[in-house]
Amino acid sequence: MLLKNQIEFYRENGFLILDTVFSDAEIEAYNKKLSVFENHKDKPSVVCESNGSIRSIFAPEKQEPYYLNLVRDKHILKVSEQLVGDNLYLYQYKLNIKEAFVGQNWEWHQDFPFWHFGDGIKNPELISVMILLNDVASYQGPLILIPKSHSEGIVSLNEKPHLENNNDLKNSLNTDLKYNINDELVKEFAQKNDIVTFSGKKGSVLFFHPNLFHASNTNVSPFTRNTAIITYNSVNNIPEKKSPRPDYVCYPDHTALTTL
């Protein structure tokens, strides 16, 4: 369970990092299952880079049931319930793969616009949990974030006319995101609140708010950077409409989760 000052830190800064929540053995058990997805590149839930390497795997537990354990692990579910202040259901679950030399970047963005405009979620009563599946250094394209940027709600977003009427799933997954943040706004917040890098030992965990500004660079290093990202939503904040996005992106089951 979290201490009061940890909860206060999250509410003020929009994120919380806990080091080595999972043991090396626990993480290695998940890593050993990654090879399964190489045989499923033809599935729509597996998104690949232009060179054919895997970029993201949505709903990994549908192809490898072992990954369901991570969603209900007490170390992250109970903490997430504390930070949101409610019972939670699984809203989205993916593995992000940044292969050595080729893993591409993610633009500066907030997650909530995709869920608010795309899926009909009214309030940002969600939380995302990123678990490092490798030791991650600054040169591997780790997630970077701007503290306190979540307090602005949904900010003014760049207009992309070529994507205006495009609901294609890939435009929330590739290097040309449908909703990204204006460069000047990113600079303003970075100058005011600095930029934090989420790097560290495998098994470390980042909890972050859906309106937090975040991005990541291309992985030009010779070392792969893999992460699992679980997004929970409050059971009292379910979508107000049926999402046009597939079930493996926006889960339709709103049943509250229990720990293993």
Side-chain angles (χ1 to χ4, degrees):
M1 300 294 283
L2 293 176
L3 301 175
K4 181 181 177 181
N5 67 315
Q6 291 175 308
I7 297 173
E8 290 173 348
F9 181 92
Y10 175 84
R11 290 176 179 167
E12 179 182 357
N13 292 279
F15 75 96
L16 179 69
I17 295 173
L18 300 181
D19 296 326
T20 56
V21 172
F22 296 93
S23 69
D24 287 355
E26 288 174 310
I27 293 299
E28 282 310 304
Y30 287 106
N31 280 328
K32 286 180 180 178
K33 301 291 185 179
L34 284 175
S35 60
V36 169
F37 303 106
E38 288 293 327
N39 299 320
H40 296 283
K41 288 184 177 181
D42 58 328
K43 293 185 179 295
S45 58
V46 178
V47 181
C48 294
E49 302 280 14
S50 58
N51 73 336
S53 63
I54 294 176
R55 177 177 174 88
S56 293
I57 302 154
F58 277 79
E61 82 287 359
K62 303 294 185 184
Q63 298 168 49
E64 175 45 70
Y66 188 78
Y67 277 93
L68 186 59
N69 297 336
L70 198 56
V71 172
R72 297 176 56 201
D73 189 283
K74 65 181 180 181
H75 296 103
I76 57 175
L77 180 54
K78 286 299 182 184
V79 169
S80 296
E81 288 174 339
Q82 275 190 280
L83 293 174
V84 176
D86 206 348
N87 292 324
L88 304 173
Y89 74 91
L90 181 60
Y91 181 72
Q92 190 176 96
Y93 185 16
K94 61 183 177 180
L95 306 179
N96 276 351
I97 309 298
K98 277 200 176 181
E99 291 286 355
F101 299 113
V102 299
Q104 292 299 299
N105 69 298
W106 297 86
E107 296 177 295
W108 281 105
H109 66 284
Q110 299 172 296
D111 288 332
F112 190 52
F114 295 92
W115 305 333
H116 180 65
F117 299 125
D119 301 332
I121 296 289
K122 185 176 181 180
N123 300 309
E125 296 170 5
L126 307 95
I127 190 167
S128 289
V129 185
M130 175 181 275
I131 302 106
L132 297 185
L133 299 179
N134 314 100
D135 292 344
V136 174
S138 60
Y139 45 74
Q140 287 170 271
L143 190 82
I144 54 177
L145 55 91
I146 300 180
K148 304 181 181 179
S149 54
H150 69 300
S151 61
E152 296 297 305
I154 295 177
V155 298
S156 179
L157 302 166
N158 280 330
E159 293 185 10
K160 293 189 173 182
H162 64 292
L163 300 179
E164 187 174 348
N165 298 312
N166 188 351
N167 290 318
D168 194 331
L169 173 63
K170 70 182 181 182
N171 293 117
S172 63
L173 306 176
N174 62 18
T175 56
D176 187 18
L177 292 177
K178 186 172 184 178
Y179 303 116
N180 74 333
I181 305 168
N182 178 274
D183 290 349
E184 288 303 313
L185 193 57
V186 171
K187 183 177 180 180
E188 175 189 336
F189 276 85
Q191 288 176 327
K192 184 166 55 177
N193 298 317
D194 206 358
I195 295 177
V196 171
T197 299
F198 179 42
S199 56
K201 184 172 171 46
K202 61 186 175 185
S204 297
V205 179
L206 166 71
F207 300 84
F208 64 103
H209 190 278
N211 275 326
L212 192 73
F213 294 12
H214 60 288
S216 66
N217 295 316
T218 301
N219 182 15
V220 295
S221 82
F223 308 107
T224 295
R225 188 222 75 172
N226 297 333
T227 59
I229 304 178
I230 299 164
T231 298
Y232 300 110
N233 188 21
S234 163
V235 294
N236 294 303
N237 191 42
I238 64 175
E240 296 183 328
K241 63 179 182 181
K242 175 68 172 68
S243 173
R245 302 201 293 172
D247 290 352
Y248 58 80
V249 174
C250 181
Y251 286 79
D253 185 353
H254 307 141
T255 305
L257 293 166
T258 56
T259 55
L260 290 174

